[in-house]
Amino acid sequence: MPSPKPKTVQTMKPETAAKKLGVLLSATPAEFRAGPVSRDELNALQAKPPAWLADLRRNGPHPKQVVAAKLGVSISGLARSGITEPLTTAEIDEIKAENPAWLEHERSVQAEARKEALRLKQQRAQEG
């Protein structure tokens, strides 16, 4: 009877792991960036974030997908407004407090896009 194959460990690049954790890779510790991250390591980081991860999530700098979500706009909306660099939580809060015209506009664009996506989803559900 053949012996079962040993289970292979699933790994990912540090870039992928950082994206899944919602943090900017360049802001992570060198040992995190040094090599592949296993699925088990990623799960452990998500379950019990170390101090560096909790601090990054709380204060940033944040990657563009997190900045967009915190501002309630799309990534494209960020680009249209000229924001291309990572922002800290304080910088995001400052933009929210100022509530510039571009932010209001991009939030309305995002709301319309969500409304349309919901309408299409409901339409497909009725047809199917």
Side-chain angles (χ1 to χ4, degrees):
M1 195 160 130
S3 61
K5 284 185 183 177
K7 188 175 179 183
T8 58
V9 177
Q10 253 190 338
T11 61
M12 62 194 81
K13 293 178 182 176
E15 295 89 354
T16 305
K19 190 171 186 176
K20 288 180 181 283
L21 292 170
V23 296
L24 194 63
L25 179 65
S26 61
T28 61
E31 59 269 13
F32 180 84
R33 297 187 304 259
V37 179
S38 73
R39 174 65 64 185
D40 290 340
E41 290 170 328
L42 179 70
N43 290 341
L45 287 169
Q46 288 174 323
K48 281 188 155 181
W52 65 263
L53 180 56
D55 185 53
L56 271 180
R57 285 178 167 170
R58 185 175 36 259
N59 301 317
H62 302 289
K64 61 185 168 191
Q65 67 270 21
V66 174
V67 173
K70 287 180 176 277
L71 289 173
V73 301
S74 67
I75 294 173
S76 300
L78 280 181
R80 283 191 293 271
S81 69
I83 296 177
T84 57
E85 297 298 315
L87 298 178
T88 64
T89 300
E91 291 168 326
I92 293 168
D93 290 343
E94 195 176 300
I95 291 171
K96 285 179 177 178
E98 290 172 6
N99 199 26
W102 69 262
L103 182 58
E104 285 188 32
H105 173 73
E106 291 300 336
R107 283 180 171 169
S108 68
V109 168
Q110 183 75 346
E112 285 300 316
R114 286 188 182 129
K115 207 184 307 182
E116 179 64 9
L118 179 61
R119 185 189 69 76
L120 291 172
K121 183 178 177 183
Q122 290 171 340
Q123 184 179 10
R124 282 193 297 272
Q126 290 173 350
E127 292 171 356

PDB file of all heavy atoms in Angstrom, residues 25 40 45 54 60 63 68 78-80 84 104 113 115 122:
ATOM      1  N   LEU A  25       3.229  46.939   1.834  1.00  0.00           N
ATOM      2  CA  LEU A  25       4.386  46.056   1.973  1.00  0.00           C
ATOM      3  C   LEU A  25       5.624  46.811   2.433  1.00  0.00           C
ATOM      4  O   LEU A  25       6.344  46.350   3.327  1.00  0.00           O
ATOM      5  CB  LEU A  25       4.670  45.326   0.655  1.00  0.00           C
ATOM      6  CG  LEU A  25       5.882  44.404   0.685  1.00  0.00           C
ATOM      7  CD1 LEU A  25       5.671  43.248   1.657  1.00  0.00           C
ATOM      8  CD2 LEU A  25       6.191  43.877  -0.703  1.00  0.00           C
ATOM      9  N   ASP A  40      -0.553  29.209   6.955  1.00  0.00           N
ATOM     10  CA  ASP A  40      -0.681  29.147   8.410  1.00  0.00           C
ATOM     11  C   ASP A  40      -0.154  30.426   9.072  1.00  0.00           C
ATOM     12  O   ASP A  40      -0.751  30.931  10.018  1.00  0.00           O
ATOM     13  CB  ASP A  40       0.064  27.926   8.970  1.00  0.00           C
ATOM     14  CG  ASP A  40      -0.626  26.613   8.596  1.00  0.00           C
ATOM     15  OD1 ASP A  40      -1.831  26.645   8.252  1.00  0.00           O
ATOM     16  OD2 ASP A  40       0.047  25.570   8.640  1.00  0.00           O
ATOM     17  N   LEU A  45      -1.266  35.652  11.686  1.00  0.00           N
ATOM     18  CA  LEU A  45      -1.180  37.117  11.697  1.00  0.00           C
ATOM     19  C   LEU A  45      -2.570  37.747  11.745  1.00  0.00           C
ATOM     20  O   LEU A  45      -2.775  38.769  12.407  1.00  0.00           O
ATOM     21  CB  LEU A  45      -0.425  37.621  10.465  1.00  0.00           C
ATOM     22  CG  LEU A  45       1.080  37.391  10.444  1.00  0.00           C
ATOM     23  CD1 LEU A  45       1.647  37.703   9.056  1.00  0.00           C
ATOM     24  CD2 LEU A  45       1.764  38.241  11.505  1.00  0.00           C
ATOM     25  N   ALA A  54      -0.874  45.638  13.971  1.00  0.00           N
ATOM     26  CA  ALA A  54      -1.964  46.423  14.557  1.00  0.00           C
ATOM     27  C   ALA A  54      -1.711  47.918  14.363  1.00  0.00           C
ATOM     28  O   ALA A  54      -2.623  48.676  14.017  1.00  0.00           O
ATOM     29  CB  ALA A  54      -2.110  46.087  16.039  1.00  0.00           C
ATOM     30  N   GLY A  60      -1.444  53.467   9.526  1.00  0.00           N
ATOM     31  CA  GLY A  60      -0.928  53.515   8.167  1.00  0.00           C
ATOM     32  C   GLY A  60       0.574  53.628   8.151  1.00  0.00           C
ATOM     33  O   GLY A  60       1.208  53.425   9.177  1.00  0.00           O
ATOM     34  N   PRO A  63      -2.371  51.231   1.934  1.00  0.00           N
ATOM     35  CA  PRO A  63      -2.371  51.079   0.476  1.00  0.00           C
ATOM     36  C   PRO A  63      -3.629  51.695  -0.119  1.00  0.00           C
ATOM     37  O   PRO A  63      -4.612  51.958   0.581  1.00  0.00           O
ATOM     38  CB  PRO A  63      -2.331  49.560   0.277  1.00  0.00           C
ATOM     39  CG  PRO A  63      -2.857  48.979   1.544  1.00  0.00           C
ATOM     40  CD  PRO A  63      -2.542  49.966   2.634  1.00  0.00           C
ATOM     41  N   ALA A  68      -9.041  54.189  -0.344  1.00  0.00           N
ATOM     42  CA  ALA A  68     -10.306  54.354  -1.065  1.00  0.00           C
ATOM     43  C   ALA A  68     -11.485  53.922  -0.189  1.00  0.00           C
ATOM     44  O   ALA A  68     -12.494  54.632  -0.110  1.00  0.00           O
ATOM     45  CB  ALA A  68     -10.278  53.552  -2.369  1.00  0.00           C
ATOM     46  N   LEU A  78      -9.780  57.900  -6.541  1.00  0.00           N
ATOM     47  CA  LEU A  78      -8.556  58.422  -5.924  1.00  0.00           C
ATOM     48  C   LEU A  78      -7.612  58.943  -6.997  1.00  0.00           C
ATOM     49  O   LEU A  78      -7.063  60.031  -6.872  1.00  0.00           O
ATOM     50  CB  LEU A  78      -7.822  57.324  -5.143  1.00  0.00           C
ATOM     51  CG  LEU A  78      -8.307  56.959  -3.763  1.00  0.00           C
ATOM     52  CD1 LEU A  78      -7.412  55.872  -3.172  1.00  0.00           C
ATOM     53  CD2 LEU A  78      -8.360  58.157  -2.847  1.00  0.00           C
ATOM     54  N   ALA A  79      -7.432  58.143  -8.036  1.00  0.00           N
ATOM     55  CA  ALA A  79      -6.523  58.527  -9.122  1.00  0.00           C
ATOM     56  C   ALA A  79      -7.002  59.813  -9.800  1.00  0.00           C
ATOM     57  O   ALA A  79      -6.201  60.706 -10.091  1.00  0.00           O
ATOM     58  CB  ALA A  79      -6.400  57.402 -10.128  1.00  0.00           C
ATOM     59  N   ARG A  80      -8.312  59.903 -10.047  1.00  0.00           N
ATOM     60  CA  ARG A  80      -8.861  61.109 -10.683  1.00  0.00           C
ATOM     61  C   ARG A  80      -8.616  62.340  -9.822  1.00  0.00           C
ATOM     62  O   ARG A  80      -8.431  63.439 -10.334  1.00  0.00           O
ATOM     63  CB  ARG A  80     -10.356  60.951 -10.955  1.00  0.00           C
ATOM     64  CG  ARG A  80     -10.678  60.083 -12.143  1.00  0.00           C
ATOM     65  CD  ARG A  80     -12.154  60.174 -12.514  1.00  0.00           C
ATOM     66  NE  ARG A  80     -13.032  59.601 -11.510  1.00  0.00           N
ATOM     67  CZ  ARG A  80     -13.411  58.324 -11.467  1.00  0.00           C
ATOM     68  NH1 ARG A  80     -12.975  57.466 -12.380  1.00  0.00           N
ATOM     69  NH2 ARG A  80     -14.223  57.895 -10.525  1.00  0.00           N
ATOM     70  N   THR A  84      -2.178  59.460  -5.396  1.00  0.00           N
ATOM     71  CA  THR A  84      -1.526  58.254  -5.918  1.00  0.00           C
ATOM     72  C   THR A  84      -0.591  57.625  -4.895  1.00  0.00           C
ATOM     73  O   THR A  84      -0.127  56.516  -5.094  1.00  0.00           O
ATOM     74  CB  THR A  84      -0.709  58.592  -7.184  1.00  0.00           C
ATOM     75  OG1 THR A  84       0.231  59.615  -6.854  1.00  0.00           O
ATOM     76  CG2 THR A  84      -1.619  59.074  -8.311  1.00  0.00           C
ATOM     77  N   GLU A 104     -16.766  64.699  -2.333  1.00  0.00           N
ATOM     78  CA  GLU A 104     -18.228  64.610  -2.446  1.00  0.00           C
ATOM     79  C   GLU A 104     -18.634  64.026  -3.797  1.00  0.00           C
ATOM     80  O   GLU A 104     -19.504  63.166  -3.875  1.00  0.00           O
ATOM     81  CB  GLU A 104     -18.866  65.990  -2.256  1.00  0.00           C
ATOM     82  CG  GLU A 104     -18.884  66.451  -0.828  1.00  0.00           C
ATOM     83  CD  GLU A 104     -19.686  67.722  -0.640  1.00  0.00           C
ATOM     84  OE1 GLU A 104     -20.672  67.931  -1.382  1.00  0.00           O
ATOM     85  OE2 GLU A 104     -19.324  68.501   0.259  1.00  0.00           O
ATOM     86  N   ALA A 113     -22.629  53.847  -8.647  1.00  0.00           N
ATOM     87  CA  ALA A 113     -22.092  52.578  -9.148  1.00  0.00           C
ATOM     88  C   ALA A 113     -22.625  51.408  -8.316  1.00  0.00           C
ATOM     89  O   ALA A 113     -22.997  50.364  -8.869  1.00  0.00           O
ATOM     90  CB  ALA A 113     -20.569  52.594  -9.123  1.00  0.00           C
ATOM     91  N   LYS A 115     -25.427  51.387  -6.592  1.00  0.00           N
ATOM     92  CA  LYS A 115     -26.862  51.286  -6.865  1.00  0.00           C
ATOM     93  C   LYS A 115     -27.099  50.516  -8.169  1.00  0.00           C
ATOM     94  O   LYS A 115     -27.968  49.650  -8.252  1.00  0.00           O
ATOM     95  CB  LYS A 115     -27.474  52.692  -6.953  1.00  0.00           C
ATOM     96  CG  LYS A 115     -28.940  52.749  -6.592  1.00  0.00           C
ATOM     97  CD  LYS A 115     -29.558  54.119  -6.765  1.00  0.00           C
ATOM     98  CE  LYS A 115     -28.824  55.235  -6.047  1.00  0.00           C
ATOM     99  NZ  LYS A 115     -29.498  56.538  -6.202  1.00  0.00           N
ATOM    100  N   GLN A 122     -30.205  42.297  -8.961  1.00  0.00           N
ATOM    101  CA  GLN A 122     -31.622  41.966  -8.771  1.00  0.00           C
ATOM    102  C   GLN A 122     -32.276  41.560 -10.088  1.00  0.00           C
ATOM    103  O   GLN A 122     -33.083  40.629 -10.131  1.00  0.00           O
ATOM    104  CB  GLN A 122     -32.354  43.141  -8.149  1.00  0.00           C
ATOM    105  CG  GLN A 122     -31.966  43.385  -6.711  1.00  0.00           C
ATOM    106  CD  GLN A 122     -32.524  44.674  -6.163  1.00  0.00           C
ATOM    107  OE1 GLN A 122     -32.897  45.588  -6.902  1.00  0.00           O
ATOM    108  NE2 GLN A 122     -32.582  44.774  -4.825  1.00  0.00           N
TER     109      GLN A 122
END
